[in-house]
Amino acid sequence: IVITELPQTEAYASSRKALTLIPAGILCLMIIAILLFRYTLTRLIIQPVNLLRSGAQQLGQGNLSHRIDIPRMDELGEVIAVFNAMAAELQKQTEELERRVADRTTALSQANASLINEVSERTAAEEKVRASLQEKEVLLKEIHHRVKNNLQIVSSLLNLQTDQVRDTNTLRALHDSRARVRSMALIHEKLYQSQSLANIDFGEYVQSLTTELFHSYQRGFARVKLNVQVDSVALDLDHAVSCGLILNELMTNALKYAFPDGKQGTIWVELRNIPERKLSLRVADDGAGIPSDLDITKTKTLGLQLVHSLVAQLDGKLELERSHGTAFEVTFEYS
């Protein structure tokens, strides 16, 4: 047995040294472990996530050709692969959409050009039609003006003829014929003055014709009064001519025969719109009246024969009232 004695400081020197080195070693190990963890975290997670974030930004900016390099085929690598596949698919769809948009734009441009060309052609055609219509309108106005002038010439010739005739019946016939010609001339005059060559304001025509006939037959005497009440009615040429001649005959008969021997009285002329697009022309007087035994459908008087013929042309209806003087009413449809 060997017993050695050492000083206490020397005996515990190695233990104290170990106690000093162990914590330092542990600290170094911890630092190394932290550095390794950080490196692993950066390499395996943070770096791939940053790559994904950067790729998403590239896609958001429209760079559909951008792809992410796959560092390794782990979970994040699979995510990156899916991202790349999605970007490739999106790029294909975008290219197809751009192609379709380009094709549609080309088609729309062609259609637009065709439409512009068609509109231009239609505009040119409408201008030609408008010019043609204006030319025809001017021509029709000129025709109505010339017809009116020719009818006035006929009326003047008839008036001159009356200066050479002494027979009373012949004078009446010439005077009546002149009134009929004047009634037709007045229609053409109204058409010439009208804005529309298709229709005339027949109410205004009635006012003019009745006033002219009244002064023509009255010779300035005020023994008979005239009462005219009309609605505004637009009639075409055919209806206006027939109705105007009817009015001329009925008005002439009232002026010639209703008030013999200078008797006084009143003549009423009414033009009314009635339901179902019908027109009523009424000429009445409070004069001597028509004998009750006279059948107006069988009369040989030229005026009444003409009235019946014109009413038939209008597909109208003629009614006679004999209660207070005489009242003729003609009703017919018009468009």
Side-chain angles (χ1 to χ4, degrees), residues 2-277:
V2 180
I3 300 173
T4 302
E5 292 183 359
L6 294 172
Q8 186 175 2
T9 55
E10 186 179 349
Y12 290 102
S14 60
S15 298
R16 286 196 295 270
K17 186 176 181 180
L19 289 173
T20 302
L21 292 174
I22 288 172
I26 293 173
L27 179 60
C28 290
L29 290 174
M30 289 180 64
I31 291 173
I32 293 171
I34 290 172
L35 291 174
L36 288 173
F37 177 77
R38 184 177 178 182
Y39 172 77
T40 303
L41 181 65
T42 301
R43 190 167 181 271
L44 298 179
I45 298 177
I46 296 177
Q47 185 178 0
V49 169
N50 288 335
L51 290 174
L52 285 171
R53 183 185 298 112
S54 176
Q57 291 176 351
Q58 291 291 328
L59 289 181
Q61 293 173 2
N63 185 11
L64 300 180
S65 62
H66 179 74
R67 300 291 183 271
I68 302 174
D69 295 332
I70 302 175
R72 67 185 62 80
M73 288 306 299
D74 53 7
E75 289 82 357
L76 286 174
E78 292 179 359
V79 172
I80 293 174
V82 171
F83 177 86
N84 287 337
M86 180 189 70
E89 181 66 22
L90 184 60
Q91 183 179 11
K92 289 178 182 181
Q93 292 179 356
T94 303
E95 290 175 352
E96 178 66 18
L97 181 60
E98 289 177 350
R99 185 186 64 79
R100 290 183 179 179
V101 170
D103 293 343
R104 189 61 182 272
T105 301
T106 302
L108 287 175
S109 298
Q110 293 175 352
N112 188 41
S114 177
L115 182 60
I116 292 174
N117 186 42
E118 182 179 354
V119 170
S120 299
E121 291 178 354
R122 285 192 177 184
T123 302
E126 288 177 358
E127 288 296 332
K128 290 182 180 179
V129 171
R130 190 177 294 109
S132 177
L133 288 176
Q134 290 177 350
E135 183 179 352
K136 289 181 179 179
E137 183 176 353
V138 172
L139 180 60
L140 284 174
K141 277 184 173 291
E142 182 63 23
I143 289 173
H144 286 301
H145 185 61
R146 292 189 179 186
V147 170
K148 184 259 297 184
N149 288 341
N150 290 335
L151 289 173
Q152 284 183 336
I153 291 173
V154 174
S155 177
S156 298
L157 290 175
L158 291 173
N159 191 40
L160 290 174
Q161 191 67 30
T162 59
D163 295 336
Q164 302 176 8
V165 176
R166 297 292 178 265
D167 182 69
T168 304
N169 293 330
T170 304
L171 283 173
R172 285 182 178 179
L174 289 173
H175 195 274
D176 292 345
S177 297
R178 180 175 176 272
R180 295 179 186 117
V181 171
R182 179 55 189 155
S183 69
M184 291 186 289
L186 185 60
I187 287 176
H188 289 280
E189 181 179 353
K190 294 296 182 183
L191 280 171
Y192 175 73
Q193 296 171 352
S194 174
Q195 293 182 352
S196 171
L197 293 175
N199 299 288
I200 68 170
D201 186 345
F202 199 71
E204 181 182 342
Y205 169 82
V206 170
Q207 291 276 12
S208 300
L209 181 61
T210 52
T211 301
E212 186 171 314
L213 287 172
F214 185 77
H215 290 297
S216 175
Y217 279 90
Q218 282 295 96
R219 301 294 183 183
F221 297 99
R223 58 187 178 86
V224 178
K225 295 181 181 179
L226 178 64
N227 188 321
V228 181
Q229 297 180 1
V230 297
D231 293 339
S232 179
V233 181
L235 285 185
D236 58 40
L237 179 60
D238 292 337
H239 285 84
V241 170
S242 298
C243 198
L245 287 172
I246 291 172
L247 174 61
N248 178 83
E249 296 303 321
L250 297 179
M251 182 77 178
T252 299
N253 283 342
L255 288 168
K256 288 167 61 177
Y257 306 116
F259 307 102
D261 302 326
K263 292 184 178 180
Q264 296 182 351
T266 304
I267 296 176
W268 292 271
V269 178
E270 295 181 1
L271 180 72
R272 299 298 184 194
N273 273 310
I274 56 179
E276 299 179 358
R277 296 290 296 175

